[in-house]
């Protein structure tokens, strides 16, 4: 970890922390990395699209289960049928659903 991170403004720390995947995220709009690298990039909250994982399974996984985010139940699991739509009505519904989840924590 960067020894100067505590004195960096939040935006600068964010850019420093994710600089390693920024180029990959530019195109196609997401990044791929190994499960072993997950602790390096996991934030305080995780929104995960998965049709095969449940929170209990993530907690049982040695890597996922070691994350404070998972231990604190700060993970939102969406199935692809819920998150795969991009029309304005679906996006509004998804935004409202995420806002309700975040404010319930």
């Amino acid at each position: 970890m960067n020894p100067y991170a505590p004195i960096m403004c939040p935006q600068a720390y964010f850019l420093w922390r994710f600089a390693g995947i920024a180029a990959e995220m530019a195109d196609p709009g997401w990044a791929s990395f190994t499960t072993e690298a997950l602790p390096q990039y996991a934030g305080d909250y995780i929104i995960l699209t998965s049709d095969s994982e449940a929170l209990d399974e993530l907690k049982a996984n040695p890597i996922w289960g070691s994350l404070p985010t998972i231990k604190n139940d700060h993970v939102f699991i969406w199935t692809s049928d819920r998150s795969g739509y991009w029309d304005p009505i679906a996006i509004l519904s998804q935004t409202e659903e995420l806002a309700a989840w975040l404010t319930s924590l």
Side-chain angles (χ1 to χ4, degrees):
M1 179 169 262
N2 182 342
Y4 301 105
I7 60 170
M8 296 172 94
C9 70
Q11 296 85 358
Y13 178 71
F14 175 84
L15 292 173
W16 166 82
R17 185 171 180 197
F18 293 101
I21 61 171
E24 185 175 349
M25 289 181 70
D27 184 28
W30 64 82
S32 298
F33 49 86
T34 65
T35 305
E36 291 77 19
L38 184 60
Q40 181 180 355
Y41 298 108
D44 295 333
Y45 302 92
I46 293 176
I47 300 167
L48 176 66
T49 300
S50 176
D51 291 324
S52 61
E53 299 288 338
L55 184 56
D56 291 337
E57 294 169 326
L58 294 176
K59 286 183 176 184
N61 179 290
I63 295 173
W64 281 95
S66 69
L67 301 173
T69 306
I70 302 299
K71 291 177 184 176
N72 294 325
D73 296 334
H74 288 178
V75 60
F76 188 87
I77 301 176
W78 259 349
T79 56
S80 60
D81 66 327
R82 188 70 195 104
S83 64
Y85 297 97
W86 294 93
D87 62 271
I89 294 170
I91 291 173
L92 176 61
S93 175
Q94 294 163 359
T95 303
E96 290 171 343
E97 189 174 347
L98 285 171
W101 171 68
L102 286 168
T103 58
S104 73
L105 297 176

